[in-house]
């Protein structure tokens, strides 16, 4: 596997979890799939519709999102909203993300070797 392919694979794995956190956070305000795609894209999250829609269904099955159809407009749209449980999971994931970010930054900072005890 080339370096580019290896990097692409690792980036895909890294993004997979971040899209869950981002979606649960954004959908605290009700939104439909396409608007979520646009919001995520504007924020720098590259996600395809064929990845996002199954994710939304999975999060709904897990009780982290609820959905309701809005038929007031010409095109019916399914709106998703983060549940109380989804908010709790999003908060926990963001807290863990911050902890991991701090840990990685700590690992990236050169340290002075500890002096040996005499």
């Amino acid at each position: 596997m080339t370096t580019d392919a290896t990097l692409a694979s690792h980036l895909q794995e890294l993004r997979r979890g971040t899209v869950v956190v981002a979606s649960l956070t954004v959908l605290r305000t009700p939104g439909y799939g396409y608007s979520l795609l646009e919001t995520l894209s504007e924020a720098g999250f590259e996600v395809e519709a064929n990845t996002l829609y199954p994710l939304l269904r999975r999060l709904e099955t897990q009780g982290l999102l609820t959905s309701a159809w809005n038929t007031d407009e010409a095109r019916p749209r399914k709106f998703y909203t983060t549940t109380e449980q989804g908010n709790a999971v999003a908060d926990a994931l963001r807290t863990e993300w911050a902890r991991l970010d701090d840990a990685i930054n700590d690992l990236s900072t050169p340290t002075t070797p500890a002096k040996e005890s005499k």
Side-chain angles (χ1 to χ4, degrees), residues 12-112:
Q12 182 180 16
E13 287 180 44
L14 183 61
R15 288 185 189 120
R16 196 171 286 137
T18 62
V19 171
V20 170
V21 178
S23 296
L24 290 172
T25 301
V26 170
L27 291 174
R28 287 180 169 175
T29 302
Y32 56 95
Y34 186 74
S35 69
L36 179 59
L37 273 174
E38 288 181 324
T39 300
L40 293 175
S41 177
E42 289 169 8
F45 288 89
E46 305 209 9
V47 60
E48 308 250 344
N50 61 355
T51 300
L52 184 64
Y53 289 104
L55 171 69
L56 293 173
R57 287 190 294 275
R58 181 170 51 89
L59 294 175
E60 186 175 17
T61 300
Q62 293 172 344
L64 305 180
L65 294 176
T66 59
S67 67
W69 283 97
N70 179 339
T71 57
D72 294 343
E73 299 177 22
R75 266 182 86 185
R77 292 187 172 136
K78 189 175 189 178
F79 278 76
Y80 294 89
T81 307
T82 306
T83 64
E84 213 173 293
Q85 180 186 0
N87 284 327
V89 167
D91 289 345
L93 291 173
R94 280 197 314 279
T95 298
E96 180 63 7
W97 179 272
R99 188 191 69 73
L100 290 170
D101 186 50
D102 288 344
I104 289 172
N105 286 331
D106 287 348
L107 291 172
S108 301
T109 305
T111 58
T112 336

